[in-house]
Amino acid sequence: MAVIEQIIAGNWKMNLTLTQGQGFIDTLLTRLKGKELSRKLLLAPNFTLLSALAQRCAGSGIGLVAQNCAFQAAGAFTGETSVAMLKDVGAEYVLVGHSERRQIFGERDDLLRQKVNAVVSGGLIPIFCVGESLDQRQGGEAFDVVISQLRCGLAELPDSQLIVAYEPVWAIGTGRTATPEDARSMHLHIREFLVSQFSWGERVPILYGGSAKPENAAELLAQPEVNGLLVGGASLNPESFLQIAMA
Ligand code: 13P
């Protein structure tokens, strides 16, 4: 099995203003002084914070993630933000297919495939999110749903860097976390799919997301199949984000 550096990624969603985000980074960098973290840290703030946070994080090793992007490269698309624009202000990664984009904004598999392709051709790294709903899990469809999301979203992916995030919809923002065993078996399934599709499938980090917090991070991260966490609510506070990063 390839050795994969664990990743702790914070998704701030539509939270934290510029001032709050800068305060977060200042606290985080102060707390990190003199510490050797064995995990890579990523943060996904709102677009409006990217430029300022990129300057503050320069040289720290903390990577910045955009929460979304346009599938087009440029043009008359009012309200959209291209991958080139995100790269220009310091983003290195883009979340694609987060369940909130799928559910609230109706983003479907073919659109997400185009977004993945836009991210890769724009020179950034996609963090492709997948996950089943509660109904789908209870109906025994969880594996099929997740593999179908991967199959569609990654259908045209060239040889590139990629991160996958497994976020069961029923665990997002609910306080209900997948058991380490649930996470483990889904991650194994995802790994098998990636290895079957890509010669580099062994090296793709697979993150778990869904009510990850300081209290459950160590247990989840102890699963060899879990290569890191995508954290929502608990990433809004630098202390709890750091507790997870050091769990
Ligand atoms: P919570 O950690 O708040 O459940 O959110 C998870 C998530 O959606 C991260 O992208």
Side-chain angles (χ1 to χ4, degrees):
M1 211 162 63
V3 179
I4 298 174
E5 182 188 26
Q6 286 191 332
I7 295 171
I8 306 297
N11 175 9
W12 290 354
K13 309 189 179 185
M14 200 173 72
N15 295 292
L16 304 190
T17 62
L18 176 58
T19 312
Q20 290 169 331
Q22 286 174 324
F24 179 110
I25 298 295
D26 292 345
T27 306
L28 185 66
L29 293 180
T30 307
R31 296 279 192 283
L32 282 173
K33 260 200 199 107
K35 290 200 176 69
E36 271 295 317
L37 259 194
S38 60
R39 299 179 175 129
K40 168 96 181 151
L41 300 186
L42 304 181
L43 286 171
N46 187 271
F47 289 173
T48 55
L49 282 65
L50 279 170
S51 173
L53 297 200
Q55 287 173 31
R56 262 198 168 60
C57 290
S60 69
I62 299 171
L64 288 179
V65 183
Q67 295 178 16
N68 184 25
C69 67
F71 73 88
Q72 310 92 336
F77 302 104
T78 302
E80 290 294 288
T81 306
S82 73
V83 173
M85 291 167 180
L86 297 168
K87 187 175 181 186
D88 193 38
V89 292
E92 295 172 85
Y93 306 79
V94 184
L95 288 176
V96 179
H98 190 281
S99 73
E100 287 147 21
R101 302 294 321 168
R102 291 178 190 263
Q103 294 199 312
I104 305 171
F105 301 99
E107 297 195 358
R108 312 201 70 86
D109 288 326
D110 52 341
L111 173 73
L112 298 175
R113 176 168 61 240
Q114 295 180 70
K115 288 193 179 195
V116 167
N117 295 348
V119 172
V120 173
S121 43
L124 300 189
I125 301 171
I127 303 180
F128 188 64
C129 306
V130 293
E132 80 287 357
S133 67
L134 187 57
D135 280 354
Q136 290 166 334
R137 172 153 289 257
Q138 288 173 340
E141 298 162 45
F143 289 139
D144 289 349
V145 167
V146 165
I147 297 304
S148 152
Q149 289 170 341
L150 289 168
R151 202 177 283 289
C152 296
L154 306 179
E156 292 159 8
L157 189 68
D159 193 353
S160 69
Q161 279 181 278
L162 169 72
I163 297 173
V164 169
Y166 168 55
E167 298 203 300
V169 178
W170 47 271
I172 295 179
T174 58
R176 203 175 147 192
T177 318
T179 63
E181 182 47 39
D182 286 340
R184 207 182 85 84
S185 59
M186 183 61 83
H187 282 224
L188 269 173
H189 239 76
I190 295 174
R191 175 71 62 206
E192 259 172 41
F193 171 80
L194 293 171
V195 168
S196 74
Q197 299 295 307
F198 308 110
S199 59
W200 39 272
E202 280 243 324
R203 301 197 302 272
V204 175
I206 306 173
L207 315 184
Y208 167 80
S211 299
K213 48 186 178 249
E215 295 76 22
N216 57 28
E219 197 181 22
L220 288 161
L221 290 166
Q223 309 300 315
E225 294 79 9
V226 175
N227 308 121
L229 300 172
L230 180 53
V231 187
S235 74
L236 294 174
N237 174 309
E239 306 297 347
S240 58
F241 185 62
L242 205 57
Q243 280 173 29
I244 293 172
M246 302 201 301

